[in-house]
Amino acid sequence: MRELSLNILDIAQNSISAQAKNITILVRASGGELTITIEDDGKGMSEEFLSKVMDPFTTTRTTRKVGMGLPLFKEAAESSGGSMKITSELGVGTVVTASFQIDHIDRMPLGDLAGTMTILIMAKPEIDFVLEYAVEDRSYKFDTKEIKSILDGVPIESSEIITYLEGLINDNITQVNGGAVI
Amino acid sequence: MKTLAELNAIREKMKNQINNRESVTSSDIRVVVGMATCGIAAGAKPVFAAFNEEVAKRNLTNVKVTQAGCLGMCKLEPMVEVYVPGKEKVTYIKVTAEAAKQIISDHIVNGNPVLKYVIGNE
C-alpha cells in the first residue's frame, strides 16, 4: 500500500463483506496526530475470531488462506509511531481505529480519499457511507444519505454523479486542509 | 468549489434522460476488477477508475464495470475479467490505467482482446 486511502478502501471492503448497511470513515488530524476510524454495522466478529484476526493466516476470503488487510494497516500505523485497535461485537458491528504521528518520516500520505469514497459507493451503492474529515477545528461531513435524498431516485452510482461527488469531496477536503497536505 | 446546489441541476438533467444503466442485462459486457487487498496494493484503484472514466467518456451504456474480491492469483494483480456475451471470458493480468483504456478501445469496442495483457501470454 502506498497511501492510507488504499488501506481505508481495503478495510471498508471488509465492512461491505460483513453486510454492513452503514459505514462511517472518520479522518482527524489534530495536535500532530492523525486518527483514522472505519466503523460499520455489519455482522461483527466473535471473540474467538477477533483474537486471531491480526494473524495473516486468518481470512474471510475463499481463494487463499492469507488475509493481509488488517496486518498491513497495523504495520502502517506502528511504523509511524502510532497504533491500531479493533473492537467488534457479533450482530452489532466492527470499529477499526488507527493512529499515526503526522510528521513521522515513515507515515504514508493520506492520498486520494475522494477516490476511495467513490469506489466504495460504486461497489455497493445501497450502503450508506459517511466521511467525516477534520483538521484541527475545521471539518467536513459527507453523507450519502443526504446525497440520495437530493437525487430523488437518480442512481448515485451513475458516472455523472460519481464524477461530481469526487469533485465535491476533493474541494471540501482541500478547504479543510487549509493549504496543508496530509 | 462544488456545492450541493449543483447536484440538483445534475439530477434534473439525468431525470430527463432515458437511463437504463442500473440493471445488468444478459446483453451487457461485464468488466470485473479484482479489488481485494492484493489487487488494491498492486494498483487496482486507478485501473477501476480508468475503466469507469473510459466507459463514461465513450458513453458505452452496455458495459458494466464492477468490483470483485480476490481473483485468486495475487502476484498477477491487478487482474481484470472481461465477459462478452457469447464469447469466452478473457482474463487480463498486471493491468494498468493505460492498459485499461486500450482494453476498452481494442477489446470492448472493436472486439480484439489485447493479447499482451491476457493471462498466459506474459
Side-chain angles (χ1 to χ4, degrees):
Chain A
M1 302 282 173
R2 293 191 188 94
E3 47 184 54
L4 295 172
S5 290
L6 294 178
N7 289 103
I8 296 175
L9 175 60
D10 189 25
I11 304 297
Q13 302 269 25
N14 294 345
S15 301
I16 294 177
S17 310
Q19 285 122 38
K21 291 186 174 63
N22 294 278
I23 299 175
T24 300
I25 294 160
L26 307 163
V27 178
R28 170 172 290 278
S30 174
E33 190 182 66
L34 174 69
T35 316
I36 296 174
T37 304
I38 299 119
E39 196 177 328
D40 72 57
D41 60 354
K43 61 185 175 186
M45 289 177 272
S46 65
E47 259 181 59
E48 190 202 348
F49 194 82
L50 189 59
S51 68
K52 56 183 186 186
V53 79
M54 293 312 304
D55 176 354
F57 297 101
T58 293
T59 184
T60 52
R61 67 166 40 171
T62 49
T63 45
R64 288 219 162 164
K65 287 190 163 57
V66 181
M68 294 300 290
L70 283 165
L72 282 172
F73 197 33
K74 186 168 189 252
E75 179 68 26
E78 289 178 352
S79 62
S80 63
S83 61
M84 193 201 88
K85 68 171 185 185
I86 176 164
T87 56
S88 187
E89 200 178 324
L90 268 182
V92 179
T94 300
V95 182
V96 178
T97 305
S99 64
F100 309 80
Q101 263 179 43
I102 289 180
D103 54 7
H104 195 290
I105 194 162
D106 286 329
R107 182 186 64 84
M108 284 191 281
L110 192 52
D112 179 20
L113 197 50
T116 284
M117 291 309 294
T118 51
I119 282 183
L120 287 170
I121 293 167
M122 286 188 274
K124 270 276 186 243
E126 58 272 31
I127 294 180
D128 283 314
F129 293 96
V130 171
L131 168 69
E132 283 186 45
Y133 185 83
V135 176
E136 304 303 342
D137 56 352
R138 304 179 299 277
S139 66
Y140 167 63
K141 183 176 177 181
F142 168 82
D143 188 341
T144 57
K145 267 200 193 99
E146 186 189 7
I147 304 292
K148 284 173 189 167
S149 78
I150 295 174
L151 284 174
D152 191 24
V154 171
I156 192 167
E157 70 276 25
S158 329
S159 60
E160 290 92 332
I161 307 291
I162 289 294
T163 306
Y164 162 81
L165 292 178
E166 200 165 342
L168 176 78
I169 299 169
N170 262 330
D171 285 356
N172 279 284
I173 285 178
T174 306
Q175 194 175 48
V176 170
N177 283 346
V181 177
I182 293 171
Chain B
M1 175 107 186
K2 283 193 163 45
T3 61
L4 284 177
E6 281 173 58
L7 193 55
N8 284 304
I10 300 175
R11 178 197 64 206
E12 289 314 309
K13 192 187 99 195
M14 291 189 62
K15 271 191 171 171
N16 294 330
Q17 294 171 351
I18 302 164
N19 197 332
N20 56 3
R21 254 184 266 175
E22 312 99 275
S23 54
V24 180
T25 65
S26 58
S27 61
D28 280 333
I29 295 173
R30 285 196 304 129
V31 177
V32 180
V33 183
M35 296 278 283
T37 308
C38 46
I40 294 170
K45 185 168 167 246
V47 169
F48 182 75
F51 272 115
N52 275 295
E53 206 182 293
E54 204 61 20
V55 165
K57 205 190 286 173
R58 292 168 178 265
N59 200 22
L60 303 172
T61 50
N62 64 327
V63 179
K64 303 287 180 288
V65 184
T66 57
Q67 304 171 29
C70 176
L71 297 180
M73 286 162 282
C74 306
K75 69 171 184 178
L76 302 179
E77 296 278 0
M79 289 179 67
V80 174
E81 294 178 340
V82 175
Y83 296 85
V84 178
K87 300 237 169 86
E88 234 182 283
K89 170 185 85 174
V90 176
T91 302
Y92 289 105
I93 58 167
K94 299 183 180 174
V95 179
T96 60
E98 278 310 303
K101 287 180 188 165
Q102 198 184 346
I103 290 167
I104 291 282
S105 70
D106 291 9
H107 186 173
I108 311 275
V109 176
N110 293 313
N112 305 311
V114 187
L115 294 176
K116 68 172 172 175
Y117 297 110
V118 172
I119 192 163
N121 287 355
E122 71 273 21

